[in-house]
Amino acid sequence: MSTPSTTVVVVTWRGRGHITACLDALARQRPHRTVVVDNASDDGTADLVAAHPSAPEHVRLPRNLGYAGGLAAVLPDVTTAYVAWLNDDAVPDDGWLAALEDALDATPDAAAATSSMVLADGSTQSVGVRLTADGHGADLVLAGREVFGFCGGAALLRTAALARAGGVPAGFFCYYEDTDTAWRLRLDGHRVLSVGPARVRHRHGASTKPGSRPFHRWNERNRLLMLLRCAPLAVALRELARFTAITALLPLRRNRPDAENFRVGLRVRVLLEVLARLPATLVDRVRIGRRATVPRSAVWREWAGR
């Protein structure tokens, strides 16, 4: 039997209600290695994984490190040419992995390939990630062959390129670890592909409820940290200043939106967390810049606002 080209990493937390469907679908893919990273689930997920007939490898962490932390925990042990990131609530169609592998095999300068993620109602969630004019990572529902970034819920990356780019930002916990990684891959001169036939059905928000307080906390914080790490300095400082100004003015606003990301307390917490991480983030910025082969400004000009 030939050595598989891909290690599929499935990060789970309290995934008892959906991880079996994910593992069943993985068992029908092209031969690969499957590693399930369990973020200290307490709902019987570990027993389901251990009993699954496909016999995936199982790494049980002592505490919940989030999606980014779970990925980072096992990446040093990945020896295959490719590593796939897959949410535990994602169910790939037959041929998903083959389509992603074939796309990267045929495109040597691409370091990542992103899937077509489809929601339960049949609508498209993501075929890649675009970079907005204010530095957000936003899902694309229609795209050409190349996109700025990949959706980390179902993607394939070159293991060596990911390692050279600095791996996964484990401290992000969850959200924006994919867009941050795409930034660094592009700074290293790589492309990112959108692979339409690589289709995945996704039960969006099974672990973290979109719109919740933790959801907005991690999104807002990690976007700012990503920009401070990867974007042109003027862009990063502009967006940090904008976030601070909006926060300061919110108490004076009469018709304030009724959403968690417009709660002053949450935004102040985000700013304090960014400030606490600022020294380490600036060290990361220097390292990323020294390694880059493409200027930050060039990536921004080409992709921001598209």
Side-chain angles (χ1 to χ4, degrees):
M1 181 181 294
S2 61
T3 303
S5 298
T6 297
T7 299
V8 180
V9 179
V10 179
V11 179
T12 188
W13 177 69
R14 296 179 180 174
R16 181 180 179 86
H18 46 262
I19 195 169
T20 296
C22 175
L23 295 177
D24 287 348
L26 281 177
R28 298 190 294 271
Q29 304 298 317
R30 179 180 284 178
H32 64 279
R33 175 191 179 201
T34 298
V35 179
V36 177
V37 185
D38 186 348
N39 268 316
S41 297
D42 55 6
D43 65 341
T45 298
D47 293 335
L48 278 180
V49 174
H52 197 271
S54 66
E57 297 177 45
H58 188 199
V59 176
R60 184 164 169 80
L61 301 178
R63 61 188 178 90
N64 187 358
L65 300 181
Y67 192 64
L71 288 169
V74 299
L75 282 178
D77 297 323
V78 174
T79 58
T80 50
Y82 299 133
V83 57
W85 302 6
L86 187 65
N87 282 2
D88 64 347
D89 58 354
V91 180
D93 285 1
D94 296 356
W96 164 76
L97 182 57
L100 292 176
E101 286 184 345
D102 290 349
L104 287 186
D105 285 346
T107 317
D109 60 344
T114 192
S115 309
S116 295
M117 299 191 74
V118 179
L119 298 174
D121 62 3
S123 63
T124 299
Q125 177 191 350
S126 176
V127 294
V129 170
R130 65 185 180 93
L131 187 63
T132 69
D134 56 359
H136 284 83
D139 283 317
L140 286 163
V141 297
L142 184 65
R145 181 64 166 170
E146 186 171 359
V147 289
F148 170 76
F150 59 92
C151 176
L156 186 69
L157 289 81
R158 294 189 190 275
T159 306
L162 176 59
R164 284 194 300 270
V168 180
F172 278 26
F173 194 82
C174 63
Y175 301 118
Y176 272 92
E177 68 284 325
D178 48 6
T179 312
D180 182 279
T181 301
W183 250 112
R184 289 178 285 114
L185 290 174
R186 287 209 164 272
L187 290 171
D188 286 356
H190 299 292
R191 298 166 60 199
V192 179
L193 305 179
S194 177
V195 183
R199 188 172 179 271
V200 172
R201 287 170 286 127
H202 187 214
R203 183 181 169 186
H204 184 46
S207 297
T208 304
K209 183 180 177 182
S212 67
R213 186 177 182 87
F215 173 88
H216 283 299
R217 171 197 165 200
W218 292 321
N219 265 287
E220 300 286 6
R221 181 195 71 185
N222 293 346
R223 178 182 72 96
L224 294 174
L225 292 174
M226 174 195 73
L227 294 174
L228 287 165
R229 282 160 52 91
C230 301
L233 186 58
V235 172
L237 294 178
R238 181 194 73 197
E239 292 307 315
L240 180 58
R242 178 183 294 175
F243 187 90
T244 303
I246 292 173
T247 302
L249 293 172
L250 272 177
L252 306 177
R253 187 170 175 178
R254 291 184 178 180
N255 298 316
R256 186 168 62 190
D258 186 21
E260 287 293 341
N261 58 326
F262 285 93
R263 309 289 186 195
V264 174
L266 182 145
R267 296 176 71 91
V268 169
R269 179 175 182 177
V270 165
L271 287 170
L272 290 175
E273 290 186 359
V274 170
L275 183 62
R277 290 163 172 77
L278 190 57
T281 299
L282 294 179
V283 170
D284 289 342
R285 179 181 179 85
V286 171
R287 290 174 178 164
I288 292 167
R290 287 176 177 170
R291 187 175 57 240
T293 61
V294 179
R296 288 180 165 97
S297 57
V299 175
W300 181 259
R301 283 195 304 269
E302 181 175 1
W303 291 100
R306 285 184 52 180

